[in-house]
Amino acid sequence: MPDELNFDGKVAVITGAGGGLGRAHALLFASRGAKVVVNDVGGSLAGEGSDAGPAQSVVDEITALGGEATADTHSIATVEGGRGLIDTATAAYGRLDILVNNAGILRNAAFEDMDEQHLEPVLDVHLRGAFFVTRPAWNVMRAQGGGRIVNTTSGAGLLGAPGFSNYGSAKGGVYGLTRVLAVEGVKYNIKVNAIAPFAATRMLSDSMGEPTEVSDPAALAQMQAIVAALDPSLVSPVVAYLAHEDCPATGEIYTVGGGQVSRFFLARTQGYVGGHTLSLEDVRDHWDDIRDEKDYTVPADTGDESQSVFAAIARGRVT
Ligand code: NAI
């Protein structure tokens, strides 16, 4: 195909690529010419243990298909692990163009049971892990004149879901990290975006519970059909496009799964201006105006938001 997008000469690091979504991303990048570093510690869904097998088996799959890949088994949940992973990439291929922060674990609990054994490992892998890998990658990309980073957030964090207070905190942090790095990356030609995926992986099966828990056969059949449609490889084209140099986006979040793709964004309502006499009762009486979604705007960054706030203040009280 003449206008096919490819990654010839590019090097991509994908964390947690020994299975699930990361494996699908690795296979797509490799099939389009990227040299791929397949990172995976090979632990359980809760983040226990390690196994070099999953990362190596994805590398074997890629090489069997004629692609080029290297396995890496560092845990990205530490500073040393993050640095070790990026060193693997530069030692193997001498450069780094794309980083996909995808590794993840799950330790759900009701908030009243959410102790530090649930919280810390989840923050370590999703949030600190993204930080620990991105910092050394950033320095390589800066020196090279640019790069692309795709983070993995989640609807459970951005929108809320019961039992996910640790995970939601981590994934909300990944959202903030994405936004800030996008702004900082402008002057280095580093673009940073994120996805909130849906895919039938071990993680989704665990979050959804056993299908047998659904008693209505029609509802069960519908749920099984939807899960069957959530092939992880239907998420990877969005990750690959966000990682491609033709993609102009930065600081954006895409919700993707089962072949559908949409953008999530944080918007600002037109709101209400009470001026210097704004009172508690004004807030009560104008609650609907404050919340009215008509003519909302989407601030690009905090400078943009400040301009809207200052313009509204300058307009003065609207009665
Ligand atoms: P998965 O459990 O199949 O894959 C996650 C991979 O990360 C595993 O292979 C695991 O060994 C690896 N990993 C965990 N800790 C690691 C560490 N410290 N160092 C290196 N590798 C590590 O799960 P899935 O679904 O593929 O998840 C991928 C990402 O997508 C995660 O960040 C997850 O939170 C996110 N996500 C997935 C959703 C879904 O519907 N499957 C929904 C929303 C977000």
Side-chain angles (χ1 to χ4, degrees):
M1 253 195 281
D3 69 342
E4 196 175 84
L5 296 170
N6 70 61
F7 294 94
D8 292 342
K10 304 288 185 195
V11 175
V13 166
I14 303 165
T15 71
L21 283 161
R23 169 181 166 273
H25 305 338
L27 288 168
L28 178 56
F29 278 109
S31 75
R32 297 301 179 99
K35 298 180 178 81
V36 180
V37 179
V38 176
N39 159 266
D40 206 297
V41 76
S44 70
L45 183 60
E48 281 151 349
S50 61
D51 177 1
Q56 189 56 51
S57 87
V58 173
V59 168
D60 293 345
E61 266 187 274
I62 289 172
T63 42
L65 291 165
E68 205 171 335
T70 297
D72 177 278
T73 56
H74 285 98
S75 167
I76 53 82
T78 65
V79 174
E80 299 72 32
R83 197 180 304 123
L85 167 56
I86 300 307
D87 287 349
T88 300
T90 52
Y93 301 121
R95 58 184 294 119
L96 172 60
D97 304 281
I98 294 156
L99 167 63
V100 181
N101 286 307
N102 164 80
I105 62 170
L106 213 55
R107 291 191 179 201
N108 285 13
F111 191 54
E112 54 274 24
D113 303 321
M114 185 62 72
D115 58 21
E116 63 279 17
Q117 303 306 321
H118 291 88
L119 176 63
E120 289 303 330
V122 167
L123 290 178
D124 284 346
V125 175
H126 293 276
L127 180 56
R128 296 190 185 101
F131 222 94
F132 296 151
V133 180
T134 304
R135 286 200 68 239
W138 188 262
N139 291 332
V140 177
M141 288 175 178
R142 273 183 58 185
Q144 261 176 218
R148 298 288 181 270
I149 298 168
V150 183
N151 292 327
T152 310
T153 181
S154 166
L158 301 180
L159 306 173
F164 283 87
S165 59
N166 54 352
Y167 182 88
S169 303
K171 292 303 201 186
V174 168
Y175 170 78
L177 180 64
T178 302
R179 299 287 304 186
V180 172
L181 293 187
V183 173
E184 288 197 32
V186 168
K187 63 175 182 267
Y188 304 124
N189 184 31
I190 300 176
K191 291 191 165 66
V192 190
N193 294 284
I195 57 155
F198 277 106
T201 63
R202 67 177 184 174
M203 188 176 284
L204 188 77
S205 317
D206 188 86
S207 328
M208 289 178 76
E210 288 302 314
T212 49
E213 287 169 19
V214 181
S215 53
D216 173 6
L220 176 61
Q222 194 187 23
M223 192 170 150
Q224 284 169 334
I226 289 172
V227 170
L230 294 177
D231 184 335
S233 69
L234 293 174
V235 172
S236 306
V238 177
V239 172
Y241 186 60
L242 291 171
H244 197 276
E245 57 196 358
D246 283 4
C247 177
T250 194
E252 297 188 351
I253 318 295
Y254 290 86
T255 161
V256 44
Q260 78 79 45
V261 192
S262 302
R263 182 159 77 102
F264 270 148
F265 51 83
L266 193 63
R268 179 182 202 285
T269 64
Q270 286 298 317
Y272 166 74
V273 185
H276 67 277
T277 59
L278 180 76
S279 68
L280 173 56
E281 289 71 29
D282 281 340
V283 175
R284 176 196 60 198
D285 296 343
H286 293 278
W287 194 238
D288 288 345
D289 301 325
I290 293 166
R291 300 183 69 252
D292 186 358
E293 292 173 18
K294 185 173 174 291
D295 298 332
Y296 65 75
T297 57
V298 182
D301 55 31
T302 189
D304 211 8
E305 156 72 349
S306 306
Q307 277 186 15
S308 301
V309 172
F310 300 156
I313 292 169
R315 274 201 310 275
R317 182 175 186 125
V318 175
T319 49

